[in-house]
């Protein structure tokens, strides 16, 4: 029963609340081996101090100077500020297998228990009631079999009709061959799904003939065929053509590979983390992965190894031969639309049957130096989960929007109605400190200005457009976040309306990192893309600011940009928000609402949490 | 007569085959190094390692990674030695910053690069190699008074340039 299972959880989690030892924390190697006793261990969810973060396998050179000397211009205040308040982040993580089960959202993620770099990958595990506040649980799976000794890599969960879960995941074997393995919960009545069992007959799938043994990874969630079999797809490549192989199975143990690939696109290279799912053309809700029919489109999404970006395309799934055809081959998967034009990779969706929505998770890497990561003791985080909907207004895009639960973190809000921002000006928005904010803004442009503005025959792009400092007739304009009072550091999130020589308007949405920090060793690119804007739409954006991460959404999530920002001045109390208009030929009227955001709790599960559960249970109807 | 001719033909065929095998190793080194911005450095580094005669591109990447590591260790030792006798506080600060950079290269960047090459996840090798080059550059830049002429300039340049070579070769594995 639930309570005795709980008792068992006490037993295995008790040591996670203790500060002395932890089953997952390596024993400190001590000063004798050149490790400062000041460093602490793994649970980055609790400790904010620097951790040693050194893999056991490394070639160690004893230097006479300890780790805590920081390269210019960094100091520990600046580095500590970078840790986010409401984004999920352990030390280093990739992602796989999120799912909702028995009252809890489960997040299994790629984790390196030995350091703030990629390597020694095992499965971390966390649970949440609301996708925002998380409890760390013990590692779900470690690299303890020959078939996953070199890495317990990405996998996907499938929930069977009887409610049971099967997990398929990629293991990197002792010979570094990539194989697919089957695992399932040891105890299906444990809502925390703490223990996992690997199928004794693993691996269930090995690289087929003609496929390189190290180009075969990341199996998807399965969906039902009309014959009642389960179907999965796994990304790979032939030469430089990215492909996705298709397999049918009745039992998740024996598979038959289909002759046709799900799809292939030449020149795109290796397809990682392939995702395949249906979206409704007509209803604003998510669909179970097995749904098919005339009111449905299917999305193929790939993570491209070559450029570390996630691409998606909409199309039609042909069940008979397990193939998929894109609606618009010119924006086929891998050469067309990206989920996110900033730092966002290895994403995957799951169907949340609790709220009938499809939810997207993405992995956000760092944009700073590895040295800073070692110093901080952590690297990379998860995006705020986003709901996915088909954009039936454009018919070509998906809409991504932060899950509604994030709004529970909103504290006091401040509204600014119809602020006129004249050409070439900046207007401060006084909301207090600017490190944890939810910003929603709408911009009106003078219609006459749009008509009269001079067109240009130069093609605009965010990357080549000169950033927020370069004026055009109808842009750039937007907001400045993580900006200090003197604007010596600033991160503009903005629109740019380009008018070509024929008078046609095209809108772009960009984030400019070029002046985001005085530090020389951080990423300073300009991110962004064209965003479709319909005739009677105002320009709108939403920005979530959480310390060193800024997630920006334009036109209800039609175009999204995630960036990592590492200021040296615009931190803590010195961080501000401004409106700006750097266009030469138009005034802009902005309406803005800004909320301060509370911090989420992201920490190990403890005895007190059981008590809260007891209270909740006893007061439940 | 025919016997001699067929023997001759056999000999020629044999020699050609043998010649082709060893020629193609050098060919792989050359074609690979042409895709890096430091051709001579690349060829020299690879040729001086006996493993290169039978290595594929992945193996060549591994050789370069080992070379970056060796150069980094040598430079780190140089920095440590300089720190023992340094008097000037600005110079001392720069050297201490370089210790951090080189610790990162040796303890993080290179091990991750080697692991990623072995497991065929080359983007992490590309990322790590890029970072290693940046760390060496950052170290050199920190000698404000004598940029591009610091007491460890040749070490920094060697590590930087070899990291760029590693980055280029790892990109070929994508």
């Amino acid at each position: 029963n639930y309570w005795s299972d709980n008792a068992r959880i006490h037993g295995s989690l008790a040591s996670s609340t203790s500060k002395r030892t932890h089953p997952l924390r390596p024993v400190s190697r001590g000063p004798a081996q050149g490790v400062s006793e000041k460093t602490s261990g793994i649970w980055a969810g609790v400790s904010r101090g620097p951790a040693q973060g050194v893999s056991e396998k490394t070639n160690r050179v004893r230097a006479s100077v300890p780790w805590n000397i920081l390269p210019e211009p960094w100091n520990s205040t600046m580095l500590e500020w970078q840790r986010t308040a409401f984004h999920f982040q352990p030390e280093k993580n990739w992602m796989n297998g999120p799912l909702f089960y028995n009252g809890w959202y489960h997040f299994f993620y790629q984790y390196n228990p030995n350091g703030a770099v990629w390597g020694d990958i095992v499965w971390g595990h966390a649970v949440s009631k609301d996708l925002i506040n998380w409890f760390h649980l013990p590692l779900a799976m470690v690299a303890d079999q020959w078939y996953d000794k070199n890495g317990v890599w990405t996998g996907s969960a499938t929930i069977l009709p009887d409610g049971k879960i099967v997990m398929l995941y990629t293991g990197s074997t002792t010979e570094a061959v990539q194989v697919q393995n089957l695992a399932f919960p040891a105890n299906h009545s444990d809502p925390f799904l703490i223990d996992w069992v690997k199928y004794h007959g693993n691996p269930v799938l090995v690289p087929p003939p003609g496929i390189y043994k190290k180009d075969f990874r990341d199996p998807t969630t399965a969906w039902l065929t009309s014959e009642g079999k389960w179907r999965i797809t796994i990304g790979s490549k032939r030469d430089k053509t990215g492909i996705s192989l298709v397999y049918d199975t009745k039992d998740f143990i024996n598979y038959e590979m289909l002759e046709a690939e799900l799809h292939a696109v030449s020149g795109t290279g290796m397809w990682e983390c392939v995702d395949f799912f249906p979206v409704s053309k007509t209803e604003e809700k998510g669909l179970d992965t097995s749904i098919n029919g005339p009111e449905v489109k299917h999305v193929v999404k790939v993570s491209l190894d070559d450029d570390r970006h996630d691409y998606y395309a909409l199309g039609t799934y042909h069940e008979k031969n397990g193939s998929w055809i894109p609606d618009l081959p010119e924006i086929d998967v891998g050469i067309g639309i990206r989920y996110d034009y900033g730092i966002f990779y290895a994403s995957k969706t799951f169907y949340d049957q609790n709220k009938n929505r499809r939810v997207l998770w993405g992995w956000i890497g760092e944009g700073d130096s590895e040295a800073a990561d070692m110093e901080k003791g952590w690297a990379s985080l998860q995006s705020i989960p986003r709901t996915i909907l088909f954009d039936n207004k454009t018919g070509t895009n998906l809409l991504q929007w932060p899950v509604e639960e994030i709004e529970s973190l909103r504290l006091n809000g401040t509204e600014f109605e119809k602020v006129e921002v004249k050409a070439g000006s900046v207007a401060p928005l006084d909301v207090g400190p600017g490190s944890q904010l939810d910003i929603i803004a709408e911009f009106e442009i003078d219609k006459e200005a749009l008509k009269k503005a001079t067109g240009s025959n130069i093609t605009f792009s965010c990357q080549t457009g000169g950033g927020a400092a370069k004026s055009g007739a109808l842009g750039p304009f937007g907001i400045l976040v993580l900006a200090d009072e003197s604007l010596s550091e600033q991160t503009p999130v903005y629109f740019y309306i380009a008018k070509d020589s024929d008078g046609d308007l095209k809108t772009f949405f960009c984030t400019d990192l070029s002046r985001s920090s005085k530090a020389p060793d951080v990423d300073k690119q300009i991110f962004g893309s064209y965003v479709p804007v319909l005739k009677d739409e105002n320009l709108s954006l939403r920005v979530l600011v959480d310390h060193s991460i800024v997630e920006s959404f334009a036109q209800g999530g039609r175009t999204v940009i995630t960036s990592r920002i590492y200021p040296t001045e615009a931190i803590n109390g010195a961080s501000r928000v401004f409106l700006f208009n750097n266009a030469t030929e138009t005034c802009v009227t902005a309406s803005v609402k800004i909320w301060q955001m509370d911090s989420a709790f992201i920490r190990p599960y403890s005895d007190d949490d059981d008590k809260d559960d007891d209270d909740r249970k006893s007061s439940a109807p | 007569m025919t016997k001699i001719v067929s023997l001759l033909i056999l000999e020629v065929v044999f020699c050609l085959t043998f010649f082709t095998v060893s020629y193609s190793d050098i060919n792989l080194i050359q074609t690979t190094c042409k895709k890096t911005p430091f051709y001579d450095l690349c060829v020299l580094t690879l040729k001086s390692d006996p493993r290169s005669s039978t290595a594929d591109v992945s193996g060549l990447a591994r050789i370069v990674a080992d070379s970056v590591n060796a150069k980094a260790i040598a430079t780190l030792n140089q920095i440590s030695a300089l720190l023992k006798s340094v008097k000037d506080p600005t110079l001392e600060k720069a050297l201490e910053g370089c210790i951090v950079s080189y610790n990162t290269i040796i303890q993080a960047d290179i091990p991750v690069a080697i692991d990623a090459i072995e497991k065929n996840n080359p983007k992490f090798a590309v990322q790590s190699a890029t970072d290693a080059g940046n760390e060496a550059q950052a170290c050199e830049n920190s000698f404000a008074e004598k940029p591009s002429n610091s007491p460890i300039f040749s070490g920094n340049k060697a590590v930087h340039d070899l990291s760029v070579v590693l980055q280029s070769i790892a990109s070929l594995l994508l």
Side-chain angles (χ1 to χ4, degrees):
Chain A
N1 71 56
Y2 176 78
W3 301 112
S4 61
D5 282 354
N6 235 15
R8 183 163 54 75
I9 290 166
H10 276 271
S12 61
L13 288 179
S15 44
S16 75
T17 59
S18 144
K19 286 191 183 103
R20 290 234 161 255
T21 58
H22 189 287
L24 306 163
R25 197 179 297 215
V27 175
S28 161
R29 279 162 288 138
Q33 296 184 46
V35 174
S36 159
E37 273 300 282
K38 277 198 263 183
T39 61
S40 58
I42 289 174
W43 291 113
V46 176
S47 148
R48 289 184 77 93
Q52 182 57 17
V54 174
S55 162
E56 288 292 349
K57 286 196 217 166
T58 60
N59 199 343
R60 249 168 269 130
V61 174
R62 293 290 149 238
S64 56
V65 178
W67 264 105
N68 53 12
I69 304 290
L70 292 162
E72 285 286 301
W74 301 106
N75 64 34
S76 54
T77 307
M78 296 171 193
L79 290 188
E80 278 165 20
W81 171 90
Q82 289 172 12
R83 192 167 183 86
T84 68
F86 52 85
H87 283 74
F88 184 90
Q89 54 167 124
E91 266 192 349
K92 181 89 170 167
N93 62 316
W94 278 250
M95 65 144 311
N96 48 261
L99 55 83
F100 181 83
Y101 181 79
N102 223 353
W104 291 92
Y105 289 100
H106 288 262
F107 177 44
F108 300 96
Y109 55 94
Q110 303 269 268
Y111 180 59
N112 180 353
N114 297 323
V117 291
W118 180 79
D120 298 339
I121 296 295
V122 297
W123 274 32
H125 186 190
V127 289
S128 170
K129 283 282 185 189
D130 60 5
L131 291 172
I132 299 296
N133 299 289
W134 293 88
F135 293 112
H136 290 301
L137 293 179
L139 300 180
M141 292 201 289
V142 296
D144 58 4
Q145 302 297 321
W146 68 267
Y147 50 76
D148 58 21
K149 198 87 185 113
N150 270 320
V152 189
W153 288 356
T154 295
S156 298
T158 304
I159 302 185
L160 304 178
D162 64 2
K164 295 214 161 48
I165 298 170
V166 293
M167 191 74 83
L168 278 174
Y169 73 95
T170 300
S172 181
T173 70
T174 45
E175 307 294 310
V177 176
Q178 293 165 13
V179 298
Q180 316 311 323
N181 304 306
L182 176 63
F184 33 83
N187 182 358
H188 269 99
S189 54
D190 168 17
F192 290 115
L193 301 177
I194 301 259
D195 296 310
W196 287 76
V197 172
K198 297 177 186 176
Y199 172 59
H200 61 84
N202 278 333
V204 293
L205 267 179
V206 298
I211 293 294
Y212 180 50
K213 61 188 180 179
K214 297 185 188 181
D215 285 338
F216 184 64
R217 53 188 183 267
D218 313 335
T220 62
T221 294
W223 63 94
L224 280 166
T225 69
S226 55
E227 293 175 10
K229 294 185 194 166
W230 290 102
R231 182 165 285 173
I232 61 166
T233 187
I234 303 178
S236 184
K237 66 170 173 164
R238 291 187 213 279
D239 294 323
K240 272 301 194 181
T241 299
I243 64 175
S244 200
L245 306 168
V246 186
Y247 291 86
D248 281 358
T249 180
K250 290 191 188 145
D251 54 8
F252 289 91
I253 295 169
N254 301 290
Y255 294 82
E256 39 167 313
M257 186 170 117
L258 268 58
E259 244 191 82
E261 290 146 4
L262 182 73
H263 196 53
V265 181
S266 65
T268 52
M270 177 68 189
W271 284 6
E272 299 192 300
C273 295
V274 172
D275 198 7
F276 179 72
F277 57 89
V279 288
S280 171
K281 289 199 286 189
T282 52
E283 291 183 277
E284 277 191 24
K285 61 171 200 169
L287 298 176
D288 180 278
T289 316
S290 294
I291 301 283
N292 201 357
E295 294 306 298
V296 158
K297 294 210 82 58
H298 276 81
V299 177
V300 171
K301 167 262 164 189
V302 300
S303 289
L304 289 192
D305 209 14
D306 280 12
D307 64 8
R308 296 170 67 109
H309 296 313
D310 282 4
Y311 294 81
Y312 71 84
L314 292 153
T316 309
Y317 167 52
H318 295 280
E319 214 241 31
K320 275 284 175 298
N321 65 353
S323 69
W324 170 93
I325 317 272
D327 286 345
L328 297 166
E330 59 271 25
I331 49 167
D332 205 343
V333 63
I335 60 172
I337 305 176
R338 282 164 51 178
Y339 264 142
D340 190 302
Y341 287 87
I343 306 209
F344 186 89
Y345 193 69
S347 64
K348 81 187 289 111
T349 64
F350 72 101
Y351 175 61
D352 172 6
Q353 71 272 26
N354 184 38
K355 287 194 170 182
N356 294 339
R357 56 185 174 178
R358 182 153 289 268
V359 179
L360 172 73
W361 278 88
W363 164 56
I364 318 293
E366 298 292 314
D368 62 356
S369 72
E370 202 73 71
D373 293 349
M374 303 292 276
E375 203 55 55
K376 290 180 331 197
W378 60 269
S380 66
L381 21 123
Q382 290 299 315
S383 61
I384 294 297
R386 305 170 184 173
T387 52
I388 297 278
L389 286 173
F390 173 67
D391 181 14
N392 53 20
K393 291 188 187 150
T394 60
T396 52
N397 288 56
L398 293 174
L399 295 172
Q400 303 164 61
W401 198 247
V403 289
E404 59 187 3
E405 287 90 336
I406 190 75
E407 294 163 31
S408 67
L409 294 179
R410 285 175 174 170
L411 300 167
N412 42 313
T414 315
E415 237 176 297
F416 303 86
E417 282 279 347
K418 300 212 186 281
V419 178
E420 262 199 25
V421 194
K422 291 199 165 31
S425 69
V426 172
L429 297 173
D430 193 6
V431 293
S435 299
Q436 294 173 214
L437 302 173
D438 187 354
I439 303 171
I440 294 191
E442 223 179 65
F443 297 88
E444 277 173 56
I445 320 300
D446 180 22
K447 291 216 171 11
E448 282 306 303
L450 277 178
K451 279 197 209 134
K452 286 197 207 139
T454 23
S456 155
N457 57 1
I458 302 170
T459 329
F460 179 87
S461 85
C462 295
Q463 292 74 10
T464 59
K470 186 128 195 314
S471 293
L474 300 170
F477 58 85
I479 57 171
L480 306 176
V481 296
L482 296 176
D484 64 325
E485 200 67 57
S486 67
L487 299 180
S488 67
E489 289 181 338
Q490 49 173 284
T491 300
V493 177
Y494 58 97
F495 290 100
Y496 187 101
I497 304 175
K499 192 178 201 184
D500 65 17
S501 29
D502 296 330
D504 294 322
L505 299 170
K506 211 172 168 189
T507 310
F508 293 81
F509 182 57
C510 323
T511 303
D512 178 3
L513 275 59
S514 60
R515 287 169 298 163
S516 61
S517 173
K518 288 181 179 165
D521 56 352
V522 297
D523 199 356
K524 300 246 179 103
Q525 295 178 69
I526 304 170
F527 297 131
S529 144
Y530 157 69
V531 54
V533 178
L534 299 165
K535 208 153 64 87
D536 297 316
E537 281 179 358
N538 270 338
L539 295 179
S540 67
L541 58 74
R542 181 176 183 185
V543 179
L544 290 172
V545 180
D546 184 8
H547 295 260
S548 58
I549 182 171
V550 175
E551 289 180 81
S552 312
F553 302 78
Q555 303 310 100
R558 229 173 250 155
T559 298
V560 186
I561 308 172
T562 301
S563 19
R564 300 303 309 278
I565 312 292
Y566 306 94
T568 62
E569 310 248 1
I571 63 175
N572 294 323
S575 181
R576 305 256 177 280
V577 187
F578 297 81
L579 280 166
F580 83 97
N581 177 9
N582 213 8
T584 54
E585 294 183 27
T586 181
C587 177
V588 162
T589 309
S591 297
V592 193
K593 187 138 192 208
I594 305 184
W595 293 266
Q596 288 286 338
M597 293 294 268
D598 201 358
S599 303
F601 68 75
I602 300 174
R603 57 175 173 73
Y605 197 85
S606 82
D607 294 356
D608 294 334
D609 297 311
D610 278 348
K611 182 180 173 301
D612 290 341
D613 251 9
D614 286 355
D615 291 344
R616 220 178 298 138
K617 251 210 167 216
S618 60
S619 60
Chain B
M1 185 63 187
T2 43
K3 250 205 200 157
I4 298 174
V5 170
S6 39
L7 236 110
L8 254 169
I9 293 172
L10 255 167
E11 262 232 56
V12 170
V13 168
F14 178 74
C15 286
L16 267 172
T17 319
F18 184 72
F19 183 66
T20 319
V21 165
S22 52
Y23 185 71
S24 75
D25 312 323
I26 301 175
N27 222 2
L28 183 63
I29 293 177
Q30 286 175 343
T31 48
T32 304
C33 288
K34 279 200 181 116
K35 293 170 187 168
T36 78
F38 298 108
Y39 179 79
D40 293 330
L41 175 65
C42 175
V43 171
L44 183 64
T45 305
L46 290 172
K47 276 199 177 160
S48 55
D49 190 310
R51 294 177 289 175
S52 65
S53 59
T54 49
D56 56 7
V57 178
S58 190
L60 296 180
R62 175 60 195 265
I63 293 169
V64 177
D66 288 343
S67 181
V68 177
N69 199 45
K71 286 279 187 309
I73 291 173
T75 311
L76 181 59
N77 289 335
Q78 228 192 324
I79 298 168
S80 302
L82 284 168
L83 265 170
K84 287 202 177 86
S85 56
V86 69
K87 301 272 193 297
D88 178 85
T90 318
L91 193 57
E92 185 178 13
K93 194 148 196 261
L95 288 168
E96 284 175 349
C98 288
I99 293 277
V100 176
S101 301
Y102 276 87
N103 269 338
T104 304
I105 295 171
I106 294 160
Q107 297 186 29
D109 292 329
I110 294 304
V112 172
I114 290 174
D115 198 31
I117 291 164
E118 170 59 25
K119 291 175 183 159
N120 199 37
N121 218 320
K123 62 176 171 297
F124 294 119
V126 173
Q127 183 188 17
S128 297
T130 308
D131 189 73
N134 289 342
E135 302 286 356
Q137 185 71 64
C139 165
E140 188 58 35
N141 289 346
S142 66
F143 293 90
E145 289 185 20
K146 296 189 203 179
S148 300
N149 203 12
S150 76
I152 46 165
F153 173 68
S154 64
N156 278 335
K157 181 150 172 58
V159 172
H160 171 268
D161 293 353
L162 273 169
S163 297
V164 173
V165 170
L166 177 60
Q167 181 192 338
S168 309
I169 300 182
S171 300
L172 300 176
L173 298 169
L174 283 167

